[in-house]
Amino acid sequence: GVMKNDTILILGAKSDIGVALAHEFAKEGSKIILAGRNIFEINEERKIIEKNYSIEVDLCEFDALNLSEHSKFINNLKVFPNTVVSTIGLMGNQKENETDLKKTINELRCNYEGPVSILLVFANEFEKRNNGGTLVGFSSVAGERGRSKNYIYGSAKAGFTAFLSGLRNRLSSKGIHVLTVLPGYVSTKMTKNLNLPKFLTAQPKEVARDIIVAVKKRKNVIFTPSIWRLIIFILKLIPESLFKKTNI
């Protein structure tokens, strides 16, 4: 396959999507580095992946919010990856965020500051090495229009989407591929308390498959499940004067 012998780094790899991605990339014959907080909690999963696909999987401790350690994290990697996927993020409770500013700031940092910092460090390193590479950032359809139900999360994701767009613009002449992933609803630990409509909700495995295809085809922006492209298109057509009166 295209990705045989590639080294893929997944940041935020303990998430359901991170684990699903590890399986899908491993199927392609890629070596995998899984990074996140308390990453050794998924050691059993690591063994399963190694056994199932006969590839090497490394675990690396990584804290997205500890910005001063980001450069050191990269320097300490045994093998430098040619694909970096950030699934880092946090979706808190909007009502709590409105009254607890600590929670708000934490959510902004997890969805914007942390991922921006680590992807910039990798972007600079990719540029210096001048050997191509792929950066994948998980944003969200929530960033496409601010809604009363989750605008703290949405605003951070909007910023992250804009960041990825600018990064793509900056790196495209250097042969470095930047992919923005805009998931709609995904059935994960993060969303288990939400009552999600079935036909709009993907399983982590489906999202992971979509990403593999998009990385291979060097796509710029993907919606997953793809129905969300249409939903967002329609959502953006509603004039603000009308939109503010809805509770979408």
Side-chain angles (χ1 to χ4, degrees):
V2 186
M3 298 172 187
K4 210 159 177 47
N5 303 326
D6 278 7
T7 299
I8 318 283
L9 168 64
I10 302 172
L11 301 163
K14 271 171 59 187
S15 64
D16 293 341
I17 289 178
V19 170
L21 268 171
H23 280 272
E24 294 302 326
F25 275 115
K27 262 182 211 167
E28 300 288 327
S30 307
K31 296 190 195 73
I32 315 271
I33 307 167
L34 303 178
R37 277 187 295 204
N38 307 321
I39 195 67
F40 291 91
E41 288 173 8
I42 61 168
N43 200 28
E44 289 311 304
E45 193 72 41
R46 176 185 77 90
K47 287 180 193 160
I48 293 166
I49 296 169
E50 284 195 325
K51 192 167 157 292
N52 284 2
Y53 312 103
S54 313
I55 51 123
E56 212 180 315
V57 181
D58 269 342
L59 299 182
C60 287
E61 193 61 28
F62 172 71
D63 182 354
L65 298 187
N66 191 354
L67 306 186
S68 59
E69 296 289 309
H70 286 187
S71 293
K72 199 190 286 177
F73 168 77
I74 287 189
N75 296 334
N76 287 344
L77 290 171
K78 285 193 304 216
V79 185
F80 188 74
N82 39 3
T83 298
V84 176
V85 185
S86 168
T87 73
I88 299 159
L90 168 77
M91 185 165 54
N93 176 303
Q94 175 65 36
K95 279 282 167 269
E96 282 174 19
N97 284 341
E98 285 167 12
T99 52
D100 186 337
L101 289 183
K102 268 204 183 71
K103 284 191 171 157
T104 290
I105 298 302
N106 187 50
E107 186 151 346
L108 296 178
R109 292 192 67 208
C110 287
N111 292 304
Y112 184 77
E113 191 179 295
V116 163
S117 164
I118 190 65
L119 288 181
L120 269 181
V121 178
F122 269 111
N124 296 341
E125 190 59 38
F126 274 173
E127 215 172 5
K128 208 166 74 193
R129 290 177 182 237
N130 196 17
N131 197 16
T134 299
L135 296 168
V136 181
F138 265 71
S139 193
S140 169
V141 295
E144 298 297 293
R145 190 150 197 185
R147 299 155 52 232
S148 61
K149 283 180 183 149
N150 68 354
Y151 64 88
I152 299 295
Y153 176 75
S155 65
K157 290 297 196 182
F160 189 49
T161 297
F163 163 77
L164 291 169
S165 169
L167 195 64
R168 180 181 307 115
N169 207 241
R170 169 192 151 190
L171 298 175
S172 99
S173 62
K174 312 275 183 346
I176 298 164
H177 171 212
V178 177
L179 167 65
T180 304
V181 182
L182 299 173
Y185 300 140
V186 188
S187 175
T188 64
K189 291 191 286 270
M190 189 164 89
T191 59
K192 70 173 185 301
N193 301 328
L194 305 175
N195 189 7
L196 302 178
K198 272 243 181 329
F199 74 103
L200 297 179
T201 307
Q203 295 304 316
K205 189 182 158 87
E206 298 167 64
V207 171
R209 278 308 320 156
D210 284 350
I211 286 155
I212 300 279
V213 170
V215 167
K216 283 181 178 172
K217 291 186 174 171
R218 293 177 80 83
K219 291 252 177 96
N220 299 315
V221 181
I222 61 160
F223 287 84
T224 170
S226 54
I227 178 81
W228 281 91
R229 183 180 288 277
L230 178 65
I231 295 169
I232 294 302
F233 176 74
I234 293 165
L235 207 58
K236 282 180 160 176
L237 289 177
I238 305 168
E240 200 69 12
S241 54
L242 207 65
F243 191 74
K244 69 180 184 190
K245 297 186 176 115
T246 67
N247 188 24
I248 291 173

